[in-house]
Structure formats: structure tokens, C-alpha cells
Amino acid sequence: MSDSRWTAFKQSPFLPATVLLLLISAAAGLFAGSYTYAMANPTPHSIPTAVTGAYDQPPARRFIAGMEQALSASLKMHPYDSRAAAVRAVEQQRVFAVVDAPAHGGAITLDVSSASGATVAQVLGQAAASVSRATGTPVVLRDLKPLQKGDPRGLAIFYISLAAVVIGFIGAIQLSVHAKALNPMERIAFTAAYALLGGFTIAAVVDWWLHALRLPFMESWLILALTMFTSGMVFTMFNTLFGRWAMLPTWGLMVLLGNPSSGGAVSWPLLPSPLGAIGRWLPPGASVNAQHTAVYFRGDQHAFPFLVLAGWSVLGCAVFLIWRHRHPGGRPAEPA
């Protein structure tokens, strides 16, 4: 291609269209790959498990060894003096199951917690049945924290968090397109406004209309609103830094990396190790974490997911305000 044709091509709409063609094609493959990598074949690596009673005696030792062999993973054992203390550890989300071995023989009790992670509970339950038959060890399987009836697979929290994340940055995109003249503080205010209203709508539809989840309404609403605001400000931050290409880092951070690693569809002990470690530091994972605790472990909420969401929000606002002159929006100051 001659220099004159290349110059004409660069100045035409065909260059960005060609770039988008290639990027969208690559994004399609990456989108499918990231979700398949995280969710298609969930495999345990290390499952935190409380143990009580005679867990170090031969029957229990044989059962635990059989479980680790069946799972091809380790049960990261945390001894407790009593079953009540072990159950409390489940409530505080420090462990995913309780193995209770009677001191004088008898059936071993395996308490799983579907609310802690439906996929983990399913994997443990299937392995326990297989190991019980193979070793001749009687096992009683119980569910300490069953899921709500309207959410038998435990995916509703992932879906509402996903909705808040995606609509959060789509809202910011639409403000950039249809309300481009908004000044910085006005843009932040409108982002907060649609986040509050959108969070309320998501919670109302899922709880009041569909009855899929019984939500602690105010807490769930505010978590969804904070998620939407964070997602919107992440896009606004990238729009400030990268202009019209802001969708690329936003999509990569929030959708390709954030959602598969959030622990909402597949619990973190079953995720590939890097995703399990990273996910809790990203907005989608923080949102799922906070919402999951609010719905199923009331009274044991942690500050960490809120700090993660607040940190991303503050970062987004700070970058936008400090480099607002680089943002493609805004309007000239009115003459005095």
C-alpha cells in the first residue's frame, strides 16, 4: 500500500472499523475461553474443612485419606474442640464443611454447607458417598446451610451481581454518548443516581416479583448500588485514560477476568488457583462476596468486600477528577 493510500486509510472510518473487527473477534474467543477455563471443569485444590472428635484415629484417617484421593485435592483440616465451634467456623466462612468422628466408633458425620458454595457441597457429597462404599466406613451426610428454595443451584447471587456490574458500566457508556456535556461532578452524581435506582430495581425484581431470593433488602440494595457505581466509575476512569478505547480494559477487567473469578458460579476452592486469589480483589468478586454473606450469613458480614468496592470507586473518581481535561466529555465553563 502506497503512502498516500495508507494516509487516506488512516484518516477514513475504515481504520477504526478494521481495528474493532479484529478486537471483537478476539474478545469473543477470550470471553468463551475465560468462562470455560474457570467454570467448565471445576476441580478442587484445597478445601478448608473443620474436624472434630477422633479425627486422627484410624476410621476417620482412612475416610479423610479416601476423600483426598477421590477429590485429587487436600482437605485443609482445622481442628475444633466441639461441633458447635466448628459450625461457628462455617458461619464465619472460614471452612466449607465439618467432619465429626465419634470417639467410640460409629458413623462419621460430614456436614456440608450449600450456602457456602453449592459446587463445593456437591463435590464433597459425591466423594463422601464413593469413599463410604469403597472403605466400608458409614457416613452421615447433612447440609448445615441449605440454599433457598427459589435458588436451588445457588446462582441467583451471581446473576444479580453480574447484572449490577454490566449495567453499571453500560450506564456510564450511555452517559458518555448521550450526556457528553456533563461536567465531572455532574457525571459522578448521575452515575450515583442510576446506581441507586438500578440497585433498587434489581433487588425488587428478584425478591418482590420473582421471589427467587429472600433478601435483606436494604443491605442487598446498597451492595448492588455500590457495585453499579463502582463499575460505572471504572469505565469512566478508563475513558479518561484511553478515550474511545475504554471499553477494552473495562471489559477485560470486569467481564473477562472479574466475573469468572468472582466465586459466584463456581466457589473459589474449585477455581484455578490464580483466579481464586485475584477474584476477591476485583469488583465482581467483592460484590458476590458481600451479597453472599448478606443473604446467607447475616450477622457475620466482613468489611473487606466493601473496602474493595470503595477502593475501586475512589480510584475511578480520583483518576477522572485529576485528569478530567483528558475526558472526552464536559462543556466549557460559562463566562462570568
Side-chain angles (χ1 to χ4, degrees), residues 46-232:
S46 176
I47 302 177
T49 305
V51 289
T52 62
Y55 67 90
D56 55 348
Q57 298 302 312
R61 270 210 316 264
R62 185 169 58 248
F63 172 74
I64 292 171
M67 287 288 289
E68 292 182 330
Q69 184 176 2
L71 295 168
S72 298
S74 66
L75 298 182
K76 189 176 181 181
M77 293 185 292
H78 298 266
Y80 289 89
D81 293 335
S82 66
R83 183 177 180 278
V87 170
R88 180 61 183 150
V90 173
E91 293 279 353
Q92 294 173 338
Q93 300 181 73
R94 295 203 297 266
V95 298
F96 282 77
V98 178
V99 174
D100 185 21
H104 304 292
I108 291 173
T109 300
L110 174 62
D111 291 306
V112 297
S113 173
S114 294
S116 300
T119 47
V120 174
Q122 181 181 8
V123 165
L124 287 173
Q126 291 172 346
S130 174
V131 172
S132 176
R133 290 191 298 269
T135 63
T137 306
V139 177
V140 176
L141 181 66
R142 297 185 299 197
D143 195 339
L144 288 173
K145 277 277 186 177
L147 294 163
Q148 294 185 18
K149 290 182 179 179
D151 184 29
R153 296 183 180 275
L155 293 174
I157 289 174
F158 175 66
Y159 293 147
I160 65 175
S161 301
L162 176 63
V165 167
V166 173
I167 300 302
F169 67 72
I170 287 178
I173 293 170
Q174 293 305 304
L175 285 181
S176 295
V177 173
H178 300 291
K180 192 174 182 178
L182 289 173
N183 281 330
M185 293 309 299
E186 295 167 346
R187 188 176 297 275
I188 291 173
F190 272 92
T191 303
Y194 77 63
L196 281 169
L197 186 57
F200 176 86
T201 305
I202 293 171
V205 167
V206 170
D207 189 342
W208 299 346
W209 182 17
L210 299 178
H211 306 292
L213 281 177
R214 295 187 307 276
L215 299 174
F217 195 86
M218 184 62 70
E219 185 177 2
S220 290
W221 171 20
L222 293 178
I223 292 168
L224 290 166
L226 180 56
T227 302
M228 288 187 71
F229 179 76
T230 302
S231 186

Side-chain angles (χ1 to χ4, degrees), residues 231-254:
S231 186
M233 291 314 303
V234 165
F235 172 82
T236 304
M237 172 181 70
F238 286 135
N239 201 20
T240 303
L241 296 174
F242 304 110
R244 63 182 177 178
W245 302 109
M247 187 59 185
L248 294 177
T250 303
W251 183 262
L253 181 72
M254 306 296 280

